[in-house]
Structure formats: C-alpha cells, structure tokens
C-alpha cells in the first residue's frame, strides 16, 4: 500500500482537496481577469485615418460546389495602422425553408 508523503501525509485528505479547489478557483479568476483586461485594451486602439485608402475583395461562398453566399474583406491602411474587416452572408435551405446567416 502506498503512503502519502510530505505535506499530504500531515494533512487530512479533505484539507488537501479544499486547498486544491481554492487554488484552481484562484487560477480561473486570474485567467478571467486577464481576458477581460485584454478585451478592454483591444478596444482602446485608435482607428486608421478616415481618408486612408480602402481595399475591398469579394469572394463567393460555396458548399459542395453550389453558391450559398458571399464574403467581403475590407482593408484600410494609413501607413501607421491597418484595419481589416470580414463579413460573410450565406443562405442555407433545408426542407423548403431558407435560413440567412450573417457574420462580421
């Protein structure tokens, strides 16, 4: 039979489990706070100048060789900042009903 060693040998098993749960909760809270901070800082970026040239590209969206929608990519570059946006619109048909999906 294996016997626990170190700190685990001196503490009851419930105390070790509670400590591990508390450590896991602390790690999860730290990761959530870091993700929130990263999201807020990403929205603080300035936009490219309004007079920057815009490049647009249109693509067909195919499923099994059949056209189901379009995708638009825009790119604005003012020399200091680059902003890229992609939008996709597709229409899927199932049992005679059409469902339109759009993402940006």
């Amino acid at each position: 039979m294996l016997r626990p060693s170190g700190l685990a040998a001196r503490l009851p098993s419930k105390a070790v489990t509670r400590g591990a749960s508390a450590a896991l909760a602390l790690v999860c809270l730290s990761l959530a706070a870091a993700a929130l901070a990263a999201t807020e800082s990403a929205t603080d970026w300035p936009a490219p100048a309004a007079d920057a040239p815009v490049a647009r590209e249109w693509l067909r969206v195919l499923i099994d060789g059949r056209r189901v929608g379009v995708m638009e990519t825009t790119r604005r570059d003012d020399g200091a900042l680059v902003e890229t946006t992609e939008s996709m619109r597709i229409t899927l048909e199932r049992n005679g009903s059409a469902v339109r999906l759009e993402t940006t």
Side-chain angles (χ1 to χ4, degrees):
M1 180 172 171
L2 294 174
R3 295 177 189 237
S5 61
L7 181 62
R10 293 183 298 233
L11 296 174
S13 61
K14 288 184 180 179
V16 173
T17 304
R18 254 186 262 127
S21 296
L24 181 61
L26 182 61
V27 168
C28 289
L29 284 173
S30 299
L31 290 174
L36 181 61
T39 302
E40 289 178 2
S41 65
T43 59
D44 295 339
W45 286 86
D51 60 347
V54 176
R56 279 195 166 80
E57 181 179 15
W58 289 89
L59 303 167
R60 289 180 287 185
V61 178
L62 306 173
I63 294 181
D64 201 22
R66 202 171 132 231
R67 183 177 176 209
V68 294
V70 295
M71 184 167 148
E72 176 191 18
T73 302
T74 59
R75 183 175 189 270
R76 183 185 306 252
D77 184 358
D78 69 359
L81 294 171
V82 177
E83 178 183 64
T84 304
T85 306
E86 292 183 345
S87 300
M88 182 172 63
R89 292 178 290 279
I90 63 173
T91 303
L92 302 174
E93 294 181 21
R94 174 109 182 178
N95 296 331
S97 298
V99 177
R100 185 172 182 172
L101 304 170
E102 188 169 332
T103 64
T104 301

